[in-house]
Amino acid sequence: MSSIRPICSIGSGTVVAVGMIVVAAALVAFSRVVGWAPTWRAFGVTPLQPPFFDMHVINDYAACAWKGMDAYVLHACNVDSFNIPPTWLWLGFLGVDGSDSTWLSAVVISAAMIVMVLMLQGRSWYQGVIALGAMISPSVMMGVERGNLDLLILALVGSAALIYEERRIGRSCWAIAFLGLGIALKLIPVFCVSLAARFSRQTFIFACVTAAFSLIYLDLALKYVFLIRRNVPTTFILSYGYKVIFLGVDHSRSEAGLSPIGLADTWVPAATAALILICAAAAAVNSFRKRREFCSVGTSAAGTAFLFGAGIYCGTYLLGTNFVYRLMFLLLCVPQLLDWQVVRKRDAGNAAAIAELGLFGTVLGALWLNGNANGHSAFLLLPQLFNWFLFFCMAAVLMLNLLRTSAASVFSHRGLAQPHHDV
């Protein structure tokens, strides 16, 4: 009995921190013994050369841009094209080049992992094991292998969630500052306006300020936004987004010797996404009218992070295509998903518990199924179905919380009692 108590006293933050250190040590050791590519393929990741390829791209372009080269010319300084805001070209002023890619990658990876440990602490050890399983999924590890900039953005968005408190103006301003820096570096945090789904005067102001900063930045950098969009590849390969399944079907037909249908370039993908959003809205309205109390996002840091993660997933899904390492932002949803399981532990058989567990399973399925060692040659249908279903679920949860909190705000403003919600 005494041997069990020390194990139970270990928290989730410790499990995640130790687990990530062990994984990092294993990666370094095995890459030295068997090589970079075999090591990463064992984790379900399709590796690229040189190691930390995406960080190499940034540093190569930063170095040659300060020598007078136009970084947005296709393949001007690297086999890949530069497709991020020009802010990163200032690294060239500091003398950074491709040789600095390893230590810079280590910095952004460490920043993301530290923030995730802080977000997950205070929970039980077995919840830490589940969270660690999400963090070492092929989709997330692909971003680590690339040394991808999204890791730094994940750290900034996660930090904003940890800092934010609705009734403390100073902390809200710091949270906006973190998101603003993320927007300047890679635009993605613009979708954190989804915090308004937990509707209140404070979250509405927060969302408006974030949106205003985003619009001002986009206006100032509009020329670069179009260049970035041009330089971002549109592909089914290791990707998610509303166009991916249509691109993949054409690829599968070509491999079978059939002519492509070309649906990806028609109105069909956008119409399909719109239909899914309409279905999500209908599901949210139906749940709200029946007063079903599930997937309710609170005011904790976990709740804020969930809204950020869900908003980024839905927003990036509507961009058309994204490489699957961007699914790492689903890690922001994990603390809230874990907390829901604890709340519903005594009611494991009811509809609310099943819905919340199903959402958690879908998130884990998306993280684990999208990465694949053969991803550069094969189109995988099952992950795309998971991605579409998760898009529906996340959109429905955001809309349901908006309806629920908006109604609560109205009742509170009028001094009326809120109606009872069924479970």
Side-chain angles (χ1 to χ4, degrees):
M1 186 73 174
S2 60
S3 63
I4 297 177
R5 288 177 181 172
I7 296 176
C8 293
S9 65
I10 297 174
S12 56
T14 302
V15 170
V16 172
V18 172
M20 292 309 301
I21 291 172
V22 171
V23 169
L27 286 169
V28 172
F30 283 111
S31 63
R32 289 177 180 269
V33 175
V34 301
W36 182 265
T39 298
W40 284 101
R41 287 190 185 279
F43 278 83
V45 176
T46 303
L48 294 179
Q49 290 289 345
F52 305 117
F53 179 83
D54 289 355
M55 188 62 72
H56 264 280
V57 173
I58 295 172
N59 295 338
D60 288 346
Y61 276 97
C64 73
W66 282 91
K67 296 176 182 177
M69 182 71 69
D70 184 353
Y72 290 97
V73 173
L74 295 175
H75 313 297
C77 308
N78 189 283
V79 294
D80 202 0
S81 298
F82 191 72
N83 54 26
I84 57 176
T87 314
W88 284 94
L89 297 177
W90 283 93
L91 287 174
F93 176 76
L94 301 175
V96 171
D97 58 25
S99 64
D100 298 295
S101 299
T102 299
W103 72 265
L104 276 173
S105 297
V107 169
V108 299
I109 292 167
S110 299
M113 295 305 103
I114 290 170
V115 170
M116 287 308 305
V117 169
L118 292 175
M119 291 188 63
L120 289 161
Q121 66 180 353
R123 295 169 177 83
S124 64
W125 68 268
Y126 71 87
Q127 290 178 306
V129 172
I130 296 171
L132 180 62
M135 292 173 69
I136 63 171
S137 62
S139 298
V140 177
M141 295 301 282
M142 178 181 171
V144 175
E145 189 273 336
R146 302 285 197 273
N148 190 267
L149 179 56
D150 281 6
L151 289 160
L152 178 58
I153 308 305
L154 174 65
L156 291 172
V157 175
S159 297
L162 287 168
I163 292 170
Y164 178 77
E165 285 189 23
E166 290 188 11
R167 299 190 180 278
R168 297 183 64 177
I169 296 175
R171 292 176 72 96
S172 297
C173 290
W174 274 109
I176 290 174
F178 274 101
L179 293 184
L181 178 58
I183 291 167
L185 294 177
K186 207 173 178 181
L187 303 175
I188 293 171
V190 65
F191 299 116
C192 291
V193 294
S194 55
L195 183 66
R198 190 177 66 208
F199 186 81
S200 68
R201 183 176 65 179
Q202 292 83 2
T203 59
F204 179 72
I205 293 173
F206 183 94
C208 286
V209 172
T210 302
F213 177 85
S214 302
L215 290 173
I216 292 171
Y217 181 78
L218 287 172
D219 181 65
L220 294 174
L222 191 60
K223 179 182 75 172
Y224 297 105
V225 171
F226 287 119
L227 292 173
I228 290 168
R229 190 62 183 165
R230 183 201 66 187
N231 289 359
V232 173
T234 300
T235 178
F236 71 92
I237 298 172
L238 291 171
S239 298
Y240 75 96
Y242 78 94
K243 282 191 173 184
V244 172
I245 195 167
F246 299 97
L247 293 168
V249 167
D250 275 353
H251 173 77
S252 298
R253 287 179 61 85
S254 297
E255 286 189 331
L258 302 173
S259 59
I261 303 174
L263 288 178
D265 298 322
T266 67
W267 54 269
V268 174
T272 304
L275 179 61
I276 294 297
L277 287 174
I278 292 170
C279 292
V285 170
N286 182 60
S287 297
F288 175 72
R289 291 182 62 185
K290 293 185 176 179
R291 302 174 184 175
R292 293 171 178 165
E293 190 66 41
F294 59 86
C295 296
S296 181
V297 180
T299 58
S300 64
T304 300
F306 178 90
L307 293 175
F308 286 167
I312 289 173
Y313 178 78
C314 292
T316 56
Y317 202 85
L318 293 173
L319 292 178
T321 64
N322 312 260
F323 285 116
V324 296
Y325 53 67
R326 192 153 293 155
L327 291 172
M328 71 175 71
F329 289 102
L330 289 175
L331 294 178
L332 295 169
C333 301
V334 170
Q336 179 66 83
L337 291 166
L338 288 170
D339 292 347
W340 281 335
Q341 305 314 306
V342 173
V343 170
R344 300 296 183 186
K345 193 172 182 179
R346 295 181 180 179
D347 305 313
N350 67 18
I354 293 172
E356 290 164 355
L357 181 61
L359 179 59
F360 199 0
T362 305
V363 168
L364 293 176
L367 287 170
W368 272 93
L369 292 174
N370 277 279
N372 185 273
N374 296 316
H376 281 294
S377 61
F379 170 66
L380 304 176
L381 180 61
L382 181 59
Q384 300 308 321
L385 297 179
F386 262 80
N387 298 340
W388 272 104
F389 183 65
L390 183 58
F391 176 60
F392 164 81
C393 291
M394 288 300 194
V397 169
L398 290 174
M399 294 178 194
L400 177 58
N401 276 273
L402 178 60
L403 290 170
R404 190 181 290 149
T405 53
S406 298
S409 179
V410 170
F411 276 101
S412 175
H413 180 71
R414 295 180 179 178
L416 301 175
Q418 288 182 238
H420 174 70
H421 286 261
D422 296 330
V423 182

